[in-house]
Amino acid sequence: MTSVDTTTDSAETPDELPRWSVADLHESFDSRSFLDAKERTGADVDRLVSLFDHHGIRSAERRAAADVDGAAADEVIAEYNRVMAEVSLLWAYVYATVSTDSRDAAAQATMSELEPMQAKLTPLLARLADWVSSFEPDSLTTVSDEAAEHAGPLQRLADRAAHQMSEAEEHLYAELASTGGGAWGRLQREVTSQLSAEVELPSGAHTMPMPAVRGLATDSDPAVRRAAYDTERRAWPTIEVPVASAMNAIKGEANAINRRRHWESPLDASLFANSVSRPTFEAMQSAVTTSLPDFRRWMRTKAQLHGHGADVGLPWWDLVAPSPVAPGELSWQEGIDVVRTAFGGYSPTLGGLVDRAIDEQWIDAAPRDGKTGGAFCMSFVDDRSLVLLNWSGSAESAQTTAHELGHAYHNTTLAHRTSLQRRLPMALAETASIFCETLVVEAGLARLAGDEHRAERLALLDVDLQGTNQVVVDIRSRFTFETEVFARRQRRTLSAAELSEMMNEAQADAYGDGIDQATAHPYMWLLKPHYYSSHFYNWPYTYGLLFGLGLFAKYQEDPERFREGYDTLLSRAGMDTAEELGAAFGFDVTDEAFWTASLDVVRGRIDDYVDLASTF
């Protein structure tokens, strides 16, 4: 038996792939600069609490804002933004280690030391919401420059006040979060990131961390993909009991808090948090439901292409398999070149971001034991970001890289915004990432237009449709599953076996005959960290994808005009509602026709895929 910690067949070893560095901020958790920053930030949080008390920032009688209120708003908003920026930077520095090595005891201990700061800050936002809602509409913005600069975020806070508990209850909930839902979410991340399993590969048995095992789903060898799938089915049940406990605790807590905050349903709370109205959500969902047969047609075509027979469902282990008619492996340098070229075709600034991210060590690419699975991007110092990947040497990994660097580009447009202005709803936070993914796909399709490029074009469409299938079809299964979890958890605790059964039922509803249902993955609930939060962490991805496709169509209509306003509109994603942001781009997102038009782009790619597949 051999122990390995890589998923890729490309030339790079984990040590050769880039790792991020945060040493320019602090050398270590023991460094004087870090200890001073932690002590200073803790003191600043305490002073901010005192400032809120001094100005009486809490629920009050309804009134018109006076000059004294304007002065209070100016001081409180500015100081809140400054302290939040300090705390966010401190948290990002520590999480940079926790997310790449969950076994680092010092990092885990330091992260827990930051939780009391967050527990003090969270109720302040609730108090600010109560205070802002006590003024007559628009009266505060007439006496405060800071309020005027933050009109959108403050209006959202005022609207939120109707869905808050009392000040004492909000404070208690924030204080208990680190030992309640937050602790359970941390348990899920640590248990899943530290699990390793033996994979029976054609070359022999290898012990691998689970993020690396999951990365084998994109391997070009069907025997490797099947072996990885079988390993998952054996390994995940070994930790299902504690993770099921985490799911029950988090969703049970969320149900209780939603009731006390007077939300009629968890979905209503999620829609509000994402600044999306129910008519917009329902228009999108209706268009998605209509599109599901088209995705199933693609999956059946892919199944035939992989030798599973005509008009049969695709086995789960082949859902993200590379095209069998063209090489699917990419080296790291090849993948970065693909992204850089596509980004550069949009603008030199976007293309330059790729080199900057590499040169300044923003990226941590290699999968390894103790590292968080999947991928994410978080803002860091000034306009810098930290980008976590689990590079598997596939074209899909290149798409993921484009997606996360799209988030990094979005962060550069937000650098001049304040903490209150940068509180992005998840649905709108996906705008730039999806747009950047689409740039890569469209650049590739344009390059591979000739008949002599049929195999390569089919392979690129395959990668693109895999991702789209995940964000539309799999996300539908996740939304269905999570809706049912919230509903059943109102009544009782759910066992691991019941959660797995619910997962399969949700997959059957979404995937239908597109997959071989006998191979559906019952443990997706266990391994996806998205479920281990208090709200729906799924449907906003679909929103982001389809909104991003609409954006790309607008870009193609008039590239120069689009570029002129794009960065400004991105910077306002935390300041406007989904409907307002859509209108700024010329979209009516409450109209199902908008979502159908975006899905028509996908249907066109499916038609292209089916036609090309028939020639092989």
Side-chain angles (χ1 to χ4, degrees):
M1 181 178 69
T2 303
S3 179
V4 298
D5 63 351
T6 181
T7 68
T8 178
D9 293 327
S10 60
E12 300 93 359
T13 67
D15 289 338
E16 293 170 330
L17 290 168
R19 293 197 182 193
W20 61 35
S21 174
V22 294
D24 62 309
L25 182 61
H26 306 294
E27 290 185 1
S28 70
F29 298 134
D30 297 325
S31 68
R32 174 48 54 192
S33 66
F34 177 76
L35 295 174
D36 286 348
K38 186 171 65 171
E39 182 179 358
R40 180 178 63 252
T41 303
D44 284 347
V45 169
D46 289 337
R47 281 191 288 270
L48 183 63
V49 173
S50 298
L51 185 66
F52 270 59
D53 291 339
H54 172 72
H55 287 297
I57 308 298
R58 51 172 43 97
S59 182
E61 294 294 324
R62 188 78 165 176
R63 66 190 190 279
D67 289 342
V68 66
D69 299 310
D74 285 339
E75 186 176 6
V76 164
I77 293 172
E79 190 63 7
Y80 178 87
N81 283 325
R82 186 187 69 79
V83 175
M84 271 303 301
E86 282 187 3
V87 172
S88 297
L89 184 57
L90 203 62
W91 184 91
Y93 175 80
V94 178
Y95 194 62
T97 297
V98 171
S99 60
T100 53
D101 184 6
S102 63
R103 298 182 187 277
D104 190 315
Q108 294 284 10
T110 305
M111 180 64 78
S112 69
E113 291 177 12
L114 301 185
E115 290 173 349
M117 293 186 200
Q118 191 61 50
K120 293 176 182 178
L121 281 172
T122 299
L124 296 185
L125 198 62
R127 288 174 60 177
L128 183 60
D130 281 334
W131 187 67
V132 171
S133 70
S134 69
F135 297 111
E136 297 292 339
D138 301 325
S139 68
L140 190 60
T141 58
T142 63
V143 295
S144 166
D145 291 339
E146 288 285 351
E149 285 292 317
H150 294 80
L154 292 183
Q155 182 57 56
R156 295 295 293 166
L157 286 177
D159 295 340
R160 164 183 153 169
H163 293 285
Q164 292 186 167
M165 299 178 286
S166 69
E167 181 181 327
E169 288 172 319
E170 289 287 353
H171 193 282
L172 178 61
Y173 175 52
E175 192 168 349
L176 292 176
S178 62
T179 56
W184 286 107
R186 198 161 55 248
L187 172 70
Q188 186 273 341
R189 293 190 298 273
E190 292 176 11
V191 169
T192 55
S193 69
Q194 294 179 17
L195 180 65
S196 293
E198 184 175 304
V199 190
E200 294 292 339
L201 296 173
S203 59
H206 297 266
T207 298
M208 305 173 70
M210 290 308 289
V213 175
R214 285 189 51 74
L216 295 176
T218 62
D219 195 276
S220 59
D221 186 343
V224 171
R225 298 194 299 271
R226 177 62 190 267
Y229 167 84
D230 290 341
T231 299
E232 285 198 63
R233 294 292 299 263
R234 292 193 305 271
W236 293 125
T238 65
I239 57 171
E240 66 179 357
V241 172
V243 180
S245 296
M247 177 78 79
N248 278 286
I250 291 168
K251 298 310 183 188
E253 177 184 289
N255 277 335
I257 296 301
N258 283 334
R259 282 194 305 272
R260 287 182 171 273
R261 287 178 172 165
H262 311 295
W263 290 111
E264 291 187 7
S265 71
L267 177 58
D268 286 331
S270 176
L271 290 172
F272 181 84
N274 281 281
S275 299
V276 172
S277 70
R278 186 172 279 272
T280 294
F281 173 79
E282 291 177 348
M284 180 188 76
Q285 289 291 81
S286 179
V288 166
T289 299
T290 302
S291 75
L292 292 178
D294 296 291
F295 286 97
R296 294 164 185 167
R297 177 165 59 97
W298 169 73
M299 285 181 268
R300 291 194 301 272
T301 301
K302 179 165 181 168
Q304 186 171 4
L305 196 63
H306 281 270
H308 298 296
D311 207 31
V312 300
L314 184 66
W316 191 273
W317 57 82
D318 281 343
L319 265 176
V320 294
S323 170
V325 301
E329 291 81 13
L330 283 177
S331 70
W332 169 255
Q333 192 56 55
E334 289 169 337
I336 283 296
D337 287 345
V338 166
V339 176
R340 182 192 292 109
T341 300
F343 282 18
Y346 173 80
S347 74
T349 301
L350 184 58
L353 180 82
V354 179
D355 290 324
R356 187 180 170 206
I358 295 170
D359 294 342
E360 297 181 9
Q361 296 179 275
W362 295 9
I363 301 174
D364 195 292
R368 53 190 182 272
D369 182 44
K371 182 177 177 179
T372 297
F376 67 75
C377 174
M378 62 179 173
S379 60
F380 193 46
V381 178
D382 299 326
D383 67 344
R384 287 166 56 188
S385 295
L386 295 177
V387 175
L388 182 140
L389 305 170
N390 278 277
W391 178 261
S392 64
S394 66
E396 183 189 31
S397 287
Q399 285 295 99
T400 300
T401 303
H403 181 100
E404 299 306 334
L405 287 174
H407 282 301
Y409 182 74
H410 198 167
N411 286 339
T412 67
T413 71
L414 293 166
H416 68 288
R417 298 295 187 185
T418 68
S419 294
L420 281 173
Q421 293 168 337
R422 295 179 65 162
R423 297 181 69 246
L424 301 186
M426 181 184 165
L428 305 183
E430 296 300 318
T431 301
S433 55
I434 297 298
F435 182 79
C436 284
E437 271 197 83
T438 308
L439 285 174
V440 174
V441 173
E442 291 294 329
L445 293 176
R447 187 180 69 254
L448 303 172
D451 188 61
E452 68 275 16
H453 297 302
R454 288 181 303 123
E456 292 84 357
R457 184 178 179 87
L458 180 64
L460 178 58
L461 284 167
D462 193 60
V463 171
D464 174 61
L465 290 170
Q466 286 171 21
T468 305
N469 193 59
Q470 285 289 299
V471 176
V472 176
V473 181
D474 196 66
I475 288 295
R476 169 57 71 91
S477 75
R478 298 188 208 182
F479 176 74
T480 300
F481 169 80
E482 196 162 3
T483 299
E484 188 64 17
V485 170
F486 274 120
R488 295 194 194 186
R489 189 63 186 87
Q490 294 274 18
R491 302 188 295 273
R492 55 183 170 77
T493 299
L494 309 177
S495 68
E498 186 174 4
L499 289 168
S500 294
E501 181 183 358
M502 292 163 61
M503 189 77 261
N504 277 162
E505 289 171 354
Q507 290 167 348
D509 179 68
Y511 285 93
D513 61 2
I515 65 168
D516 176 356
Q517 290 293 335
T519 69
H521 198 316
Y523 299 106
M524 293 301 288
W525 64 268
L526 182 156
L527 62 97
K528 288 291 184 183
H530 307 71
Y531 292 122
Y532 297 86
S533 65
S534 61
H535 53 83
F536 287 96
Y537 202 154
N538 40 57
W539 67 262
Y541 280 111
T542 307
Y543 188 103
L545 169 71
L546 300 182
F547 189 76
L549 288 175
L551 276 184
F552 191 82
K554 186 67 67 175
Y555 162 64
Q556 288 180 310
E557 289 176 9
D558 190 343
E560 289 304 318
R561 182 179 179 185
F562 181 88
R563 290 189 192 96
E564 289 173 0
Y566 181 54
D567 287 4
T568 298
L569 289 168
L570 284 180
S571 77
R572 295 193 61 83
M575 302 166 68
D576 297 332
T577 66
E579 290 74 24
E580 289 168 342
L581 195 66
F585 283 108
F587 304 143
D588 179 5
V589 294
T590 66
D591 186 349
E592 186 176 337
F594 167 76
W595 305 102
T596 299
S598 291
L599 285 161
D600 283 343
V601 174
V602 180
R603 289 186 181 93
R605 293 176 183 173
I606 290 174
D607 290 342
D608 194 2
Y609 182 95
V610 172
D611 289 344
L612 285 169
S614 68
T615 67
F616 290 94

